[in-house]
Amino acid sequence: MKDKRKVHASVKDERLVEKRRDQMIKGAVSLFKQKGFHRTTTREIAKAAGFSIGTLYEYIRTKEDVLYLVCDRIYEQVRLELEELDVGEGTMESLKLGIVHYFQVMDRMQDEVLVMYQEAKSLSKDALPYVLKKEMEMVGMVEGLIQSCVDRGRLDLDSERIHLLAQNVFVQGQMWGFRRWALQKRFSLEDYMNLQIDLLFAGVIGYETHGRTGGVI
């Protein structure tokens, strides 16, 4: 991952660092949802993660480091999902598949995404730009899928429309988590993805150069 924020760990075993930070993230996300960032202590995070406060400080230096780790985890999951696709294929079906993969990440990580947005205000003035930059890099991944369709002549979109469509996709994926209290009463994840993709592609149908493709997912 490019430009990854360095979070200090005194432990040198990378696999152990990853394991402990996974535990830490899960415990912290649950606490941040319940109590908020400022009311949660590092001691509580350590207890929720299943180890001592001393052990906690072997893997982070500050409570803010946990938010960096959450941000990077979301970014990494989106990157891994989209990199598995043949983004150079440049077909409408590959674009739809990319959107499905992105929505699925947002479903799996909806608690992390919600906490990240709720607690971004808790980050320092130096830290907030990093989080916003990682978000724009995720939007850029979606832009890349759309740009591939443009490059292959499947869509006729200028850079402004490509960017705005990517932003729309990004927000619709997050909405599944932000509005889950209402949406999940009415839609399954598959229903939600199908309907959102249908609505998104209805907006670009006039820009598709080879007519509408059949099927959504």
Side-chain angles (χ1 to χ4, degrees):
M1 183 192 308
K2 62 181 179 179
D3 300 326
K4 186 174 181 180
R5 178 79 177 204
K6 178 69 175 177
V7 176
H8 174 78
S10 59
V11 176
K12 303 305 180 186
D13 185 333
E14 291 185 4
R15 286 180 297 180
L16 183 58
V17 170
E18 188 72 12
K19 178 182 177 180
R20 290 287 186 255
R21 285 180 172 173
D22 279 342
Q23 295 171 300
M24 199 182 306
I25 288 170
K26 290 176 183 176
V29 165
S30 178
L31 288 166
F32 292 163
K33 280 181 60 185
Q34 296 171 25
K35 303 178 62 175
F37 178 82
H38 289 298
R39 293 179 59 198
T40 299
T41 67
T42 50
R43 190 172 298 277
E44 288 172 326
I45 293 173
K47 183 178 179 181
F51 40 78
S52 70
I53 187 68
T55 300
L56 181 85
Y57 283 119
E58 292 178 352
Y59 299 95
I60 61 169
R61 285 182 173 175
T62 68
K63 187 168 62 172
E64 190 175 77
D65 283 345
V66 179
L67 288 180
Y68 282 126
L69 294 175
V70 173
C71 173
D72 284 337
R73 183 61 49 83
I74 295 167
Y75 175 92
E76 182 69 3
Q77 288 300 306
V78 172
R79 183 186 67 80
L80 288 172
E81 286 284 344
L82 297 189
E83 282 190 353
E84 287 181 0
L85 302 174
D86 182 6
V87 295
E89 187 176 348
T91 67
M92 298 299 284
E93 289 304 318
S94 66
L95 175 56
K96 291 174 184 178
L97 184 60
I99 294 172
V100 166
H101 280 235
Y102 166 67
F103 278 19
Q104 288 172 339
V105 173
M106 293 296 100
D107 176 60
R108 292 199 307 269
M109 305 194 74
Q110 54 188 267
D111 287 345
E112 288 89 341
V113 172
L114 184 61
V115 163
M116 200 68 251
Y117 272 85
Q118 287 178 337
E119 303 304 336
K121 61 184 181 297
S122 303
L123 293 167
S124 67
K125 290 182 180 180
D126 291 333
L128 184 57
Y130 173 80
V131 172
L132 297 178
K133 180 174 181 290
K134 301 313 289 186
E135 180 169 307
M136 289 307 300
E137 288 176 4
M138 286 188 280
V139 173
M141 296 179 203
V142 180
E143 280 190 80
L145 294 174
I146 301 168
Q147 185 65 56
S148 292
C149 291
V150 174
D151 292 344
R152 292 296 183 93
R154 311 293 187 186
L155 289 171
D156 182 17
L157 296 170
D158 59 26
S159 60
E160 286 79 11
R161 286 175 174 80
I162 292 171
H163 180 73
L164 192 56
L165 179 58
Q167 292 280 9
N168 284 337
V169 170
F170 192 76
V171 171
Q172 298 305 329
Q174 293 174 332
M175 190 173 79
W176 177 247
F178 294 159
R179 300 282 299 172
R180 61 185 171 185
W181 60 271
L183 292 171
Q184 292 177 0
K185 293 176 182 177
R186 188 158 183 170
F187 306 108
S188 68
L189 175 61
E190 184 176 356
D191 290 338
Y192 180 79
M193 291 190 299
N194 274 291
L195 288 169
Q196 286 291 13
I197 291 172
D198 184 62
L199 290 170
L200 285 163
F201 275 72
V204 299
I205 206 66
Y207 300 94
E208 192 173 352
T209 58
H210 298 293
R212 187 170 187 175
T213 58
V216 178
I217 61 173

